[in-house]
Every structure is written in C-alpha cells, then in structure tokens.
Amino acid sequence: MTMRISKLAAVVVVVAAVSACTSGGEKGNPTPVPSSTSSSGNDPGSKLPARPQALKLDSIDTCKLFTADQMKQISTVSADPVKLDLVDGQESPSCDYGSDGGFGYQVGAVTHKGVSYWLQGGGNVDSTVIKVGDYGAVQVKLKGGSGFDCSVAIDVADGQQLMVSYIPTTTKEKDQSVLCGKAEKAAGLALSTLKTLK
C-alpha cells in the first residue's frame, strides 16, 4: 500500500514538475502568472502573505510531523520515510503516511525551492494561493484532472516549502474540493507540529 502511494504520487509530482519546467523556463523568463493561479483574478491573488517567522526544514524528520493524535484525526496508521522527487527533479526527504482506507498522505521537506516555484505559471498544474494557519501556501493540482490528488505547499522559509499531499489510492473520491480540503487540513496539522520542533 505504501509503495503504491509513493509511486503514484511520484508520478504525479514528476509530471507536474517536468511540465512546469518545460513550459518556458524556470526563472529568468518573464511569463505571466496564469489566471488559474489566483482565486481573485490576476496578480493580487498570486502574492503570498508575509510569513510570521521562518521555520527551516533542513534537519526535520518528516515522519514526526504528525503526532499520534493527529494521525488519528486524519485516519492514518503508519509512517514510512522515503525520498521523493517533489519539485524540479531533486529528491526531498519525505514521509508516506498510510491508512487502511484506500488513501494516504505524503509530507515532504523541500529545501531547494520555495513555494514561488508553483506561481511561475505554465506547466500542467493549477496553483492557487491560500493560507494555512498563519502562513501563506499554494494549493497545487493537475490541470483538467479531478479525483487524482491534491497538494498544499506551505511557505515556511526562504527557498523552502513544506509540501503535504492527499492521495486516494483505491477510494472512489472524485470531488477535487474534498481532496484539497483533506490536504489542507493535514497541512495545518503538520505546520502546527513543525512550530514545536527545533
């Protein structure tokens, strides 16, 4: 089950990352942010709010970002460390949180690219600026897809993002707002734990 979740998510993220990279370059290309990046229209919605403080991810164990009580809240029963290619072709320390119910969560500590990566436009993903707790974040989902997965990337520090994904594996969930709601809830839980870690 855990292997299936990580392979599925790796495929989704690799496709998204490759598509984002191949559609106009990474940085120096001044491509406009697509309107799907913002719930309010154009540029104003694509601005991330200022973060209250930096929460560096360099030495964080991603399998400790959900407490036992939080794992019960999101119905997960296992936590397995993995390395995943989440952003831009570079592996990040991550954790697969598995369940007995046909779904799972992945939490990744991306230390080589900040959330602005998702706001550069282009690619095969829709990105929307949201807030998780008191931090700016970006909700990321595949364009045109529904019921596959949803990820939330939290702006925790300069050049770093805490990425939380909800991935249905055998469940029949197709409502994208439900999937994204679950990813956002889990991201909030992981963020609250991160604030307590050194």
Side-chain angles (χ1 to χ4, degrees), residues 4-14 84 106 149 165 167:
R4 183 176 174 183
I5 292 171
S6 79
K7 283 184 180 177
L8 185 65
V11 168
V12 171
V13 176
V14 167
L84 295 175
Q106 288 184 327
D149 77 346
S165 301
I167 306 160

Side-chain angles (χ1 to χ4, degrees), residues 25 28 34 38 40 49-50 52 65 72 78-79 85 89 101 106 114-115 120 125 144 152 171 179 192-193:
S38 144
S40 63
L65 286 175
K72 287 179 188 171
S78 64
D85 176 2
Q106 288 184 327
V115 297
Q120 294 173 358
V125 295
V152 173
T171 58
L179 273 59
S192 66
T193 303

Side-chain angles (χ1 to χ4, degrees), residues 1 8 44 48 58 71 98 127 137 162 177 190:
M1 168 77 86
L8 185 65
L48 287 164
D58 301 281
M71 286 180 68
S127 303
L162 179 64
S177 65

Side-chain angles (χ1 to χ4, degrees), residues 34-88:
S35 61
S36 61
T37 302
S38 144
S39 55
S40 63
N42 286 317
D43 272 349
S46 67
K47 301 285 187 218
L48 287 164
R51 78 179 78 87
Q53 65 176 348
L55 300 170
K56 298 289 251 173
L57 299 173
D58 301 281
S59 59
I60 293 299
D61 181 346
T62 53
C63 286
K64 292 186 178 174
L65 286 175
F66 292 137
T67 65
D69 180 56
Q70 290 171 333
M71 286 180 68
K72 287 179 188 171
Q73 289 180 52
I74 58 172
S75 302
T76 55
V77 295
S78 64
D80 299 305
V82 291
K83 290 265 193 186
L84 295 175
D85 176 2
L86 297 173
V87 177
D88 202 26

Side-chain angles (χ1 to χ4, degrees), residues 2-3 5 32 36 38 40 45 48 50 57 72 97 110 119 123 141 146-147 151 154 162 171 178 198:
T2 303
M3 182 61 89
I5 292 171
S36 61
S38 144
S40 63
L48 287 164
L57 299 173
K72 287 179 188 171
Y97 289 89
V110 179
L119 300 175
K141 57 189 177 183
S146 182
S151 299
I154 306 171
L162 179 64
T171 58
V178 171
K198 283 193 162 189

